[in-house]
Amino acid sequence: MQTTKATCCYCGVGCGVLIKTDNDKIIDVQGDPAHPANFGRLCTKGSTLHLTAGLDARLLYPELRGERGEVRERADWDATLEHLAARFAETIREHGPDSVAFYISGQLLTEDYYVFNKLAKGLIGTNNVDTNSRLCMSSAVAGYKATLGSDAPPACYDDVNHAETIFIAGSNTAYAHPILFRRIEDAKQANPQLKLIVVDPRRTDTAASADLHLAILPGTDVALFNGMLHVLLWEGLCDQAFIREHTEGFDALKALVREYTPQFVADICGIPAEQVVQAAKWFGESKATLSLYCMGLNQSSRGTDKNAALINLHLATRQIGRPGAGPFSLTGQPNAMGGREVGGMANLLSAHRDLANPEHCAEVARLWGVDEVPARPGKTAVELFEAVRSGEIKAVWIACSNPAQSMPDVNLVREALETAELVVVQEAFRQTDTTAYADVLLPATTWGEREGTVTNSERRISHVRPAIPAPGEARADWRIAVDFARRLEARLRPGLPTLFPYERVEQVFDEHKESTRGRDLDITGLSYQRLDSLGPQQWPFPEAASSGRARLYEDFKFETASGKAQFVATRFLPVAEPADARYPLRLTTGRLRDQWHGMSRTGTVARLYNHVEEPTLVLNQDDMSRRKLVAGDIVRVKSRRGATVLRVQASDDVRVGQAFLPMHWGGQFMSGVGVNALTTGKFDPVSKQPELKHAAVQVEKVELPWQMVIMRKGDALSRMQALQPYLSRFTYATVGLFGCDEPATILRVACTEAPDAALLHELDVLLDMVDEGNCMTYTDPKRGISKRVLVGADGGIEGVRLTGETAARDWLKELMAEGHAAAELRPWMLAPTANPPVGGESRGKIVCNCLNVSERDIQAGIAAGLDLVRLQEKLKCGTSCGSCVPEIKRMITLKPIPA
């Protein structure tokens, strides 16, 4: 058995992991106790990474089709890359360099990013290279640059331990960055006087842990921050000496916020004026205030203003440049920071250089050995796919991203991919919403197979090493880009020396670090060897340094022309799409605890469905009653752009007039295309980041009386993939996995009437449930009822199909997951009963995935008077990764949400 150091491939915390391998197979993963991002801790997703390392879902060889409409066929690498080089060269010669584009990903390694950036801007001569980080962090980038002069988060994780007030805005940290939230819990326990303020329209697990929850109306953050500054001024809590000596622009901001009185802000934000005052006092009176913020601020048509308005508070109170203080944006992807460092976006250049600066363009051109780099910004994410749809961009290359699921107004993106003359998808996973549109598929390596570097939210660079060889014919992303680039440059600049002389990935890193020399993120003092010997390091780390810098701006010298920080006069403006009589509900979107992005990886792990098993719309009970809805009803959610059909549940975590829908499920896991059928492509004018966090919607009940549930053990992932093409044939359908040690697949369907019997037989055959000798069956054709239970050779329940009547689905699902014997259940398995025949009640959802502890188990313990410590002692819940601890605490101290 061997152990290899790497990092987690989910959120931007950048947790270190130890990958255990045996015979070139990944068999386990543990947190790296030496990594300063997590000190050995992993969340539910990270701790199950080894379960994603199988090959059932992988793309293992190139596929190619000559013409649109043909079926892709397996091809060899040389023929595929020659085909692509010829197509790209022809398109560029005929239509110019801006007729092609690259859409890449914050999940790439920094070296991958660097090569793609150089390929587009250095070789082809187009800035049409953007990334899904545009959907994630571009407003944070723009906010930092507008105020502090550079895209450089000034704080670090250790500041959690020094803060007296932690201000979380637009982030359900307990779900999105759970290991960082563990630090917050530890800090709160060590210092009970630490104040936690959370700004979020929903009462999330993070908000439920707060000393003060500001449940503002969606999109009103700027008004809140301006109102807090008004109070800080009124209370004399601004540091006038710091403002005078180290900042500019305060007078204009001061004049603007004069009108943002607590009551004025309360009316806009929908919270009591007293909460505005309290938040401002805690922020300003604290010796050290740390702000943590994420997509709630960024994914907005006013995201840059939201970021700048929050940073204004830090500058006004000198809460920056010292332990425990600073504005700290949390990245949503494992290497969104690395992509920003190399300039891998349509409006950036390497090492924090600006396209608008001719000297910066000349510096990059000299480094790369080209005459010039294009100065005009390229198409950003939304603009890029609009240009593909209009025909302006003819060929698009998509790497390690799934825009057919993740982009806003996703139906237009799908139209664009259908319209494009050439779609190339470079991907590790075979079945995503985007691979269906690919003319060429290129198999890439993924977590556990790659070497390179990643940079986490606190500017810390880790060297990632491969634990196993690349499977099949998969290649590293940087290698694919280099092999293509060499073929393309032979056509575009024949006879000239190659721009891509890299044979080892470290050569790419060395060129990247040279590009940072003398810049604010100088890493010329780093190498792979030094990262291995010293461990992960923060930038800047110049050549003469012995360590990186934990905090920035400790000398109050900022990366602006004057060296002074800039206040930005941010005026509140409403969301891009306000609710109205036709679309009366404000829909917000967000993450779940145990899923990530479009589920191409987490969606392959059965136990990660146990907490939330299918996409569900959340409404306040008043809105449910007004529409005559009950929990479990199927509804159609509709916006001005599209609709989706799914189940609904009630919760007082959302206010009246609001709704919440998770971002993860797309067309591979449900009928329709998911939440982004609803979202708007309207974007921030500066950052170009779209308003994925808010849309106006209507909700109506859908009558689908005929329902079906199919559950099948054995080869669960392969069976789920086989079922995915059937989802679009039903008005409502979801497919997923369940169980732990013996994963099973589950298909849920609802229609207006029973489908043809031939379709049911087709599904039985597909799932190998036609052995009449081992099947119990019941059929009532007049009522459209057909049931089938498959019993395995060991006497366990191997498969269930309930059609027309599904009352027993929940308890049968639990008994299947637990491996219960079928013998004693035979009289009940086909009966129309919702109650388990063996006594007791359904366990409900699984709260602690690590140790399989259910909601009902915990509720029973609470009813018996157990507190958190005794629940952990008795049930062991929350004693492994700890991701469930906020939810358990909330169950113990549940409070009603204010009216």
Side-chain angles (χ1 to χ4, degrees), residues 35 50 66 76 168 205 224 283 365 374 417 440 503 541 584 615 618 645 654 706 715 765 786 797 817 875 883 891:
H35 199 292
H50 60 293
D76 65 64
I168 300 178
D205 278 6
L224 172 65
F283 192 105
L417 295 174
V440 179
E503 298 300 330
F541 198 120
V618 178
V645 176
V654 296
W706 188 91
D715 297 324
V765 172
S786 171
I797 306 171
L875 302 177
S883 297
M891 293 170 69

Side-chain angles (χ1 to χ4, degrees), residues 588-637:
T588 61
T589 66
R591 299 175 187 262
L592 296 177
R593 190 191 75 187
D594 295 348
Q595 296 293 352
W596 199 71
H597 281 205
M599 298 170 58
S600 57
R601 181 182 296 276
T602 54
T604 67
V605 181
R607 68 183 63 181
L608 294 182
Y609 291 84
N610 292 344
H611 189 239
V612 177
E613 60 183 13
E614 61 177 326
T616 305
L617 180 75
V618 178
L619 291 177
N620 186 277
Q621 182 59 59
D622 285 358
D623 288 315
M624 295 273 286
S625 300
R626 191 172 293 116
R627 290 164 177 79
K628 296 181 172 57
L629 297 171
V630 298
D633 278 350
I634 297 174
V635 296
R636 177 175 288 106
V637 188

Side-chain angles (χ1 to χ4, degrees), residues 104 113-114 117 121 127 129 337-353 368 512:
I104 53 180
Y113 251 122
Y114 186 88
N117 197 40
K121 298 172 183 175
N127 283 318
V129 53
M337 184 71 74
R340 289 143 63 182
E341 292 164 7
V342 304
M345 299 177 81
N347 60 323
L348 301 178
L349 280 176
S350 294
H352 291 176
R353 292 178 173 88
W368 286 348
H512 159 55

Side-chain angles (χ1 to χ4, degrees), residues 57 125 215 280 284 429 499 577 801 880:
F429 296 94
L499 302 177
E577 186 176 69
R801 174 170 62 76
S880 182

Side-chain angles (χ1 to χ4, degrees), residues 30-41:
Q30 297 174 355
D32 182 354
H35 199 292
N38 59 315
F39 297 111
R41 286 172 159 171

Side-chain angles (χ1 to χ4, degrees), residues 58-78:
R58 292 295 299 277
L59 177 64
L60 296 175
Y61 49 80
E63 295 182 10
L64 169 69
R65 62 185 177 194
E67 299 291 339
R68 187 63 56 84
E70 294 179 356
V71 176
R72 289 190 309 267
E73 296 183 352
R74 182 172 180 172
D76 65 64
W77 272 107
D78 284 339

Side-chain angles (χ1 to χ4, degrees), residues 643-770:
T644 190
V645 176
L646 68 171
R647 295 192 187 275
V648 66
Q649 68 180 42
S651 173
D652 62 2
D653 291 343
V654 296
R655 295 167 58 157
V656 174
Q658 296 180 19
F660 173 76
L661 192 57
M663 60 177 277
H664 307 288
W665 275 270
Q668 297 301 307
F669 301 95
M670 63 182 295
S671 54
V673 299
V675 65
N676 285 319
L678 309 171
T679 52
T680 175
K682 298 288 181 63
F683 53 72
D684 180 284
V686 178
S687 70
K688 305 297 182 73
Q689 182 162 358
E691 192 159 87
L692 282 160
K693 276 292 181 184
H694 183 270
V697 299
Q698 58 178 241
V699 174
E700 62 180 3
K701 185 175 181 178
V702 181
E703 297 292 346
L704 300 173
W706 188 91
Q707 299 197 15
M708 173 173 70
V709 176
I710 305 179
M711 298 174 280
R712 184 68 163 92
K713 278 187 175 181
D715 297 324
L717 182 55
S718 296
R719 295 188 195 279
M720 181 179 74
Q721 292 170 339
L723 288 170
Q724 286 170 339
Y726 289 85
L727 297 175
S728 61
R729 299 171 69 168
F730 303 102
T731 306
Y732 166 86
T734 68
V735 67
L737 304 172
F738 68 93
C740 290
D741 297 330
E742 293 185 85
T745 188
I746 180 168
L747 173 70
R748 306 171 185 86
V749 168
C751 305
T752 54
E753 58 185 11
D756 189 274
L759 176 59
L760 298 183
H761 180 70
E762 187 177 333
L763 291 170
D764 288 342
V765 172
L766 183 72
L767 298 177
D768 194 20
M769 293 177 58
V770 291

Side-chain angles (χ1 to χ4, degrees), residues 865-879:
L866 301 184
D867 60 10
L868 176 62
V869 173
R870 289 188 290 169
L871 283 169
Q872 291 176 316
E873 291 173 351
K874 182 177 180 179
L875 302 177
K876 305 302 179 185
C877 52
T879 60

